[in-house]
Amino acid sequence: MEIKGIVAVVTGGASGLGRATAEKLVATGARVVIADLAPNGEEVAREIGGGTRFVAADVTNTEQMDAVFDVAQELGTLRAVVHCAGRGGPIRVVDREGNPGSLEVYETVVRINLIGSFNVLRLGAARMAKNEPVEGERGVVIMTASVAAFEGQIGQIPYASAKAGIVGMTIVAARDLASHQIRVCTIAPGTFDTPILERVKEDVREALAAAVPHPRRLGRPSEFALLAEQIIANPMLNGETIRIDGAIRMPPR
Ligand SMILES: NC(=O)c1ccc[n+]([C@@H]2O[C@H](COP(=O)([O-])OP(=O)(O)OC[C@H]3O[C@@H](n4cnc5c(N)ncnc54)[C@H](O)[C@@H]3O)[C@@H](O)[C@H]2O)c1
């Protein structure tokens, strides 16, 4: 699909991988609406420029996400959704004191990452299903999993469960939406240098970078954005989760 002239919604677009994707899409000629909870969303949209809009929205909230897609459709034809919003929340199955892990934390992390992904997918796809096809396509949805979907580490039980759910959803969604001529792919990043890692100490960051076989460094958000751009552009990419991780395979901890 040609990116020039399309409208794209980027969730989590106020930071990290989402922000880099919004920047890339604007540079390629798309109009972008950022959906995020971040208080600096307006500022980020201004910095990105190109008429980028920010709508404060929680991806798990249907009304708020509907408002995001309304704004997108005011700008033109919504053809792409890149869903990057998400976050972790560490617990163990049984904690060090022998108590069962928090069901509340588990539910919250699954709600934000997995339920939020389905909410964005279903609402975005319903809008796109009404588009006129261009070269046999109505639109594309990209979701964000993690290598934790495949090799979750100790403490990542809710996050890994949610991200694995997104991977599982991908082929089903692509099959469901094939008759609507909408594609669905998922990107599973390894370790990327985003504000998520700002809270991590320098020696831990260095260890994370050193664990990547090649290139031996953290991923750059622009490299995630490059893959998102390619997925939108390439009509044969569908129903697949693509790892972008420098060949990292996470150890248990
Ligand atoms: N950075 C990494 O190394 C890495 C690795 C694997 C997967 N991921 C995934 O990539 C995605 C983006 O991560 P990032 O590193 O850019 O993180 P980030 O913290 O820089 O950005 C995430 C953005 O999502 C927003 N957000 C969180 N919950 C939200 C909600 N309920 N509704 C709307 N917005 C919400 C935050 O406000 C933030 O702006 C996440 O899904 C994350 O799990 C990141």
Side-chain angles (χ1 to χ4, degrees):
M1 177 188 301
E2 193 185 348
I3 292 174
K4 195 171 183 309
I6 67 167
V7 176
V9 165
V10 180
T11 75
S15 178
L17 305 181
R19 179 178 176 149
T21 303
E23 284 168 351
K24 178 72 162 174
L25 294 178
V26 168
T28 320
R31 305 284 311 270
V32 169
V33 180
I34 290 173
D36 202 305
L37 287 172
N40 65 337
E42 292 283 2
E43 199 183 315
V44 172
R46 258 197 314 278
E47 282 167 12
I48 294 174
T52 301
R53 301 278 297 270
F54 169 73
V55 181
D58 183 329
V59 291
T60 65
N61 184 302
T62 296
E63 251 176 47
Q64 291 174 11
M65 282 313 298
D66 266 334
V68 170
F69 290 120
D70 286 345
V71 170
Q73 290 189 310
E74 281 164 22
L75 297 180
T77 312
L78 174 75
R79 298 268 178 201
V81 176
V82 187
H83 171 51
C84 297
R87 70 164 177 84
I91 53 162
R92 290 191 181 203
V93 181
V94 175
D95 72 16
R96 286 196 180 87
E97 285 78 44
N99 302 311
S102 161
L103 193 56
E104 241 182 3
V105 172
Y106 188 91
E107 273 183 0
T108 303
V109 175
V110 168
R111 180 152 189 85
I112 292 169
N113 292 286
L114 182 58
I115 312 278
S117 293
F118 180 63
N119 198 36
V120 171
L121 170 70
R122 76 188 182 105
L123 298 174
R127 302 288 178 125
M128 289 175 186
K130 298 187 181 78
N131 290 346
E132 279 305 315
V134 173
E135 292 181 11
E137 293 201 85
R138 288 199 166 86
V140 49
V141 180
I142 300 172
M143 297 184 288
T144 308
S146 163
V147 295
F150 308 102
E151 303 104 30
Q153 295 187 290
I154 288 171
Q156 286 190 312
I157 192 91
Y159 185 72
S161 306
K163 294 301 193 181
I166 297 170
V167 172
M169 218 195 291
T170 305
I171 183 66
V172 192
R175 287 171 166 173
D176 267 13
L177 293 171
S179 58
H180 296 285
Q181 297 165 293
I182 296 168
R183 291 183 289 119
V184 183
C185 277
T186 292
I187 300 176
T191 38
F192 276 68
D193 195 2
T194 70
I196 271 188
L197 286 186
E198 273 166 14
R199 292 185 288 274
V200 173
K201 286 196 208 119
E202 192 50 37
D203 57 328
V204 178
R205 278 170 62 95
E206 279 168 20
L208 283 172
V212 185
H214 177 68
R216 194 166 294 263
R217 59 169 172 79
L218 299 172
R220 297 176 185 132
S222 61
E223 292 161 340
F224 175 95
L226 198 60
L227 180 54
E229 180 194 25
Q230 177 58 207
I231 292 170
I232 297 170
N234 193 326
M236 210 52 198
L237 284 171
N238 193 15
E240 182 61 323
T241 296
I242 303 170
R243 293 180 68 128
I244 178 165
D245 63 7
I248 200 169
R249 298 295 179 268
M250 290 290 199
R253 72 172 88 221

